[in-house]
Amino acid sequence: MPRTFKIGAAQSGPIQLADSKKSIVKRLVEMMKQAASEGCDVVVFTELALTTFFPRYFTEDRAEMDKYFETEMPGPITQPLFDTAREKGIGFYLGYGEITPEGLHYNTAILVDKSANIVGKYRKVHLPGHVEFDTKRTHQHLEKRYFSPGDLGFNAWRTMGGIMGMAICNDRRWPETYRVMGLQGVEVIMLGYNTPSVNSQYNSEGPEIRKFHSRLSMQAGAYQNSTYVVGVAKAGNEDGFPLFGDSCIVDPNGHVIAHATTEEDELVVAECDLDLCNFGKETIFDFARHRRIEHYGLITEQTGVIAPD
Ligand code: ING
């Protein structure tokens, strides 16, 4: 009997500066209802799903960006997501900007089960970009200015009939992200991303190669840890700044089994058998039998490159 788990990847189309969080939540609830009507067990939303990708804008006073963050989850704005999840019996992943009671700012995601309980929280570890305005870039990417590096690590939670993990955007480019969760037996890694269509430091790097790198990273992570990976974009043109879509669901063999075809709100659905993870975990990627950790020390002892003389 397959351990069926139906996944809905709810890609978001563009969010403009003028769009209210209330109007965005309405869009997300619509996709959640569509996912529930198609029998999904979980719906995966994107990174910073409630707002435009505000780290593209520089403000001297960082507190000006607090309006893009949430101080409570759920709060009045996001409560309809939890109410609908409970009513429909569907879980969800939601990416958002978090301000803690201590006033710290994180790029955060939560995992919510079918009873609308927050099962887990993740704070983005790998923050790309820079802190100060960079005159050499065609557009800014100020995540290191507005967020602190995540302090919760990479965890996995047994919920909704499987072992679930979370990551956010740039995390998908780093093999350590997947392996730490792979060492916890993860079967589904959910992640949202907001990825500019053009490299701000190398403009001839356009959407095609960037989509290739996005899929390459997620397919490799899925295969090398025998897990499903769900990557969900915020896509489209936000106030003149294009983000690519290509949301996709990758199976434990590294195959893209479903993907978006638009740069709008689009639900991508795949019925998955979580037991498809087992063969890889029990053979080629049976970590206990094959890994040789005595040779891996540099990975945690050293941050940057130290090349031979
Ligand atoms: N966005 C991009 C991402 O990692 C990026 C930043 C793009 C870094 C391409 C390197 C190359 O997909 C976020 N939000 O991390």
Side-chain angles (χ1 to χ4, degrees):
M1 185 71 176
R3 210 158 29 109
T4 302
F5 188 66
K6 200 164 188 182
I7 297 173
Q11 173 178 287
S12 284
I15 297 178
Q16 312 305 337
L17 283 167
D19 293 335
S20 68
K21 287 182 186 176
K22 192 174 171 130
S23 69
I24 302 312
V25 168
K26 193 171 182 308
R27 286 166 50 184
L28 301 180
V29 167
E30 282 313 304
M31 288 195 280
M32 179 182 278
K33 286 178 176 174
Q34 182 189 348
S37 70
E38 296 192 31
C40 292
D41 294 287
V42 73
V43 59
V44 184
F45 295 116
T46 189
E47 171 191 28
L48 297 175
L50 304 173
T51 66
T52 194
F53 186 69
F54 61 87
R56 66 167 70 93
Y57 301 110
F58 178 85
T59 56
E60 197 57 52
D61 176 5
R62 300 180 200 199
E64 282 181 37
M65 290 303 192
D66 284 2
K67 62 185 177 224
Y68 295 116
F69 289 77
E70 307 304 312
T71 55
E72 50 182 337
M73 185 55 71
I77 295 277
T78 51
Q79 190 59 50
L81 282 166
F82 289 75
D83 294 345
T84 305
R86 186 179 299 108
E87 176 198 335
K88 301 293 184 183
I90 185 170
F92 66 95
Y93 163 112
L94 179 74
Y96 65 97
E98 174 194 13
I99 297 180
T100 69
E102 302 74 30
L104 296 173
H105 295 63
Y106 295 104
N107 188 339
T108 295
I110 51 171
L111 179 60
V112 181
D113 70 14
K114 297 183 177 183
S115 304
N117 300 311
I118 297 178
V119 170
K121 175 179 282 189
Y122 170 72
R123 291 168 174 159
K124 187 173 182 178
V125 166
H126 298 99
L127 296 171
H130 45 105
V131 176
E132 299 305 332
F133 189 90
D134 184 343
T135 56
K136 294 190 293 298
R137 288 173 182 251
T138 52
H139 53 271
Q140 305 300 303
H141 198 113
L142 294 153
E143 292 196 55
K144 292 184 193 291
R145 183 176 186 80
Y146 299 124
F147 304 117
S148 297
D151 59 350
L152 302 174
F154 299 102
N155 299 295
W157 296 271
R158 194 178 289 277
T159 183
M160 296 185 274
I163 301 175
M164 311 288 158
M166 293 189 277
I168 299 175
C169 204
N170 195 256
D171 291 320
R172 74 189 186 285
R173 302 179 191 280
W174 301 91
E176 296 88 343
T177 299
Y178 302 93
R179 185 48 47 87
V180 172
M181 287 185 272
L183 287 164
Q184 299 170 72
V186 75
E187 295 172 320
V188 183
I189 295 176
M190 306 171 201
L191 65 94
Y193 61 86
N194 288 218
T195 305
S197 298
V198 177
N199 187 323
S200 63
Q201 297 172 289
Y202 179 48
N203 274 195
S204 57
E205 184 185 294
E208 284 326 302
I209 190 164
R210 287 163 81 82
K211 287 182 193 175
F212 167 71
H213 289 157
S214 181
R215 287 197 179 197
L216 177 68
S217 302
M218 293 190 285
Q219 287 177 270
Y223 166 65
Q224 292 169 347
N225 296 278
S226 198
T227 177
Y228 286 91
V229 173
V230 189
V232 181
K234 166 98 79 49
N237 188 313
E238 294 192 330
D239 296 298
F241 295 91
L243 302 167
F244 71 73
D246 203 37
S247 301
C248 58
I249 300 172
V250 185
D251 79 5
N253 285 309
H255 297 300
V256 173
I257 56 175
H259 66 87
T261 58
T262 72
E263 292 194 336
E264 297 298 331
D265 289 3
E266 180 180 349
L267 185 70
V268 177
V269 175
E271 184 157 84
C272 304
D273 174 7
L274 297 185
D275 286 332
L276 193 62
C277 300
N278 299 346
F279 183 73
K281 292 182 191 292
E282 293 163 5
T283 56
I284 185 169
F285 295 114
D286 178 346
F287 294 157
R289 276 200 308 130
H290 298 308
R291 292 183 74 240
R292 304 300 312 177
I293 59 172
E294 64 271 23
H295 299 298
Y296 304 161
L298 284 189
I299 291 177
T300 57
E301 292 157 9
Q302 190 179 306
T303 302
V305 171
I306 301 175
D309 294 336

